[in-house]
């Protein structure tokens, strides 16, 4: 009983999704101002400051477990930051809300179905765009079998690179 209550408390203590009820905003630049973040007691990121001007690329480099993926999740507004501020801008105007940012997961999962169905899985309304996405993501020359038939559990019949290409085509 005590163990069950502890588990329930752990679930209740999970912070609410910070994206709920917030406006989705277009963003073309952002600034991190003294941002710190911890999942629990220890800080994973401390006093991070940087700016990404419009049309610029940002590469995040660091040791395994140093917080790169966490930083990307903070940029996408998926976790509430502990201290500091993330400022989003669109055409030089400061915007409040959750940025419309898509990101490709490091450890994404593909379903045991065709490439086309995998691409449509989060967006059932896609129709002719699927062919365009297949071409755009360099999957066009892949054996037709896989675009129409199953690619196996987690895409096990595909190469690692092609798996990532399918995930890229599926990004919303
Ligand atoms: N959801 C989570 N809850 C608690 N701790 C987490 C969570 N996600 C990551 N961590 C911890 O935060 C730290 C940073 O993890 P993160 O995934 O951001 O690292 P990374 O730089 O992307 O690593 P890698 O190069 O291996 O992908 C690690 O110590 C990890 O154990
Ligand atoms: Mg990572």
């Amino acid at each position: 009983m005590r163990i069950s209550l502890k588990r329930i408390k752990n679930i209740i203590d999970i912070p609410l999704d910070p994206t709920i009820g917030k406006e989705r905003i277009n963003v073309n630049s952002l600034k991190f101002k003294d941002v710190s973040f911890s999942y629990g007691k220890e800080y994973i990121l401390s006093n991070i400051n940087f700016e990404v001007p419009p049309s610029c690329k940002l590469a995040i480099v660091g040791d395994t477990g140093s917080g790169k993926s966490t930083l990307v999740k903070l940029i996408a507004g998926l976790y509430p930051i502990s201290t500091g501020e993330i400022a989003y801008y669109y055409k030089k105007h400061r915007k409040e809300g959750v940025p419309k940012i898509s990101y490709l997961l490091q450890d994404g999962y593909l379903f045991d179905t065709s490439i086309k169905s995998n691409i449509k899985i989060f967006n059932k309304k896609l129709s002719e765009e699927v062919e365009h996405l297949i071409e755009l993501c360099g999957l066009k020359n892949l054996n037709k079998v896989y675009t129409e038939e199953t690619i196996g559990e987690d895409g096990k019949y595909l190469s690692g690179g092609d798996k990532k290409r399918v995930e890229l085509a599926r990004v919303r």
Side-chain angles (χ1 to χ4, degrees):
M1 181 67 178
R2 194 175 292 168
I3 291 171
S4 310
L5 282 173
K6 200 174 167 194
R7 284 202 181 141
I8 290 170
K9 188 178 176 311
N10 285 345
I11 291 169
I12 292 170
D13 284 348
I14 293 173
L16 280 178
D17 180 346
T19 65
I20 292 173
K22 287 194 185 158
E23 194 188 338
R24 303 292 307 261
I25 50 166
N26 288 321
V27 165
N28 73 343
S29 73
L30 61 87
K31 257 185 213 167
F32 264 52
K33 300 176 187 173
D34 269 328
V35 172
S36 299
F37 177 79
S38 77
Y39 286 107
K41 282 184 190 147
E42 280 178 34
Y43 278 107
I44 303 294
L45 300 165
S46 299
N47 303 103
I48 306 290
N49 287 283
F50 67 89
E51 185 178 347
V52 188
S55 310
C56 278
K57 287 181 183 151
L58 171 72
I60 305 163
V61 182
D63 285 346
T64 301
S66 59
K68 302 177 296 293
S69 295
T70 301
L71 187 66
V72 171
K73 287 171 191 166
L74 295 185
I75 290 174
L78 298 183
Y79 290 126
I81 53 174
S82 311
T83 58
E85 187 185 21
I86 305 173
Y88 299 105
Y89 301 86
Y90 188 63
K91 297 182 178 169
K92 294 186 180 164
H93 295 288
R94 177 83 191 260
K95 298 281 169 190
E96 298 292 338
V98 179
K100 286 187 200 163
I101 291 176
S102 300
Y103 74 95
L104 189 58
L105 290 168
Q106 189 172 4
D107 49 2
Y109 183 84
L110 293 174
F111 296 94
D112 188 1
T113 178
S114 68
I115 286 180
K116 278 185 184 168
S117 302
N118 265 287
I119 294 172
K120 286 166 78 168
I121 217 131
F122 298 126
N123 190 352
K124 301 258 185 305
K125 286 183 199 150
L126 285 179
S127 51
E128 63 266 28
E129 297 98 320
V130 172
E131 295 294 342
H132 176 61
L133 286 169
I134 284 178
E135 191 170 347
L136 201 67
C137 295
L139 291 161
K140 202 166 184 273
N141 295 329
L142 212 65
N143 190 331
K144 203 76 187 154
V145 167
Y146 298 129
T147 46
E148 306 294 340
E149 291 169 23
T150 184
I151 54 173
E153 193 189 336
D154 197 16
K156 67 180 174 189
Y157 304 145
L158 299 182
S159 73
D162 282 333
K163 277 175 67 174
K164 279 285 164 242
R165 286 173 187 273
V166 178
E167 287 171 36
L168 183 64
R170 193 175 64 174
V171 158
R172 283 177 290 175

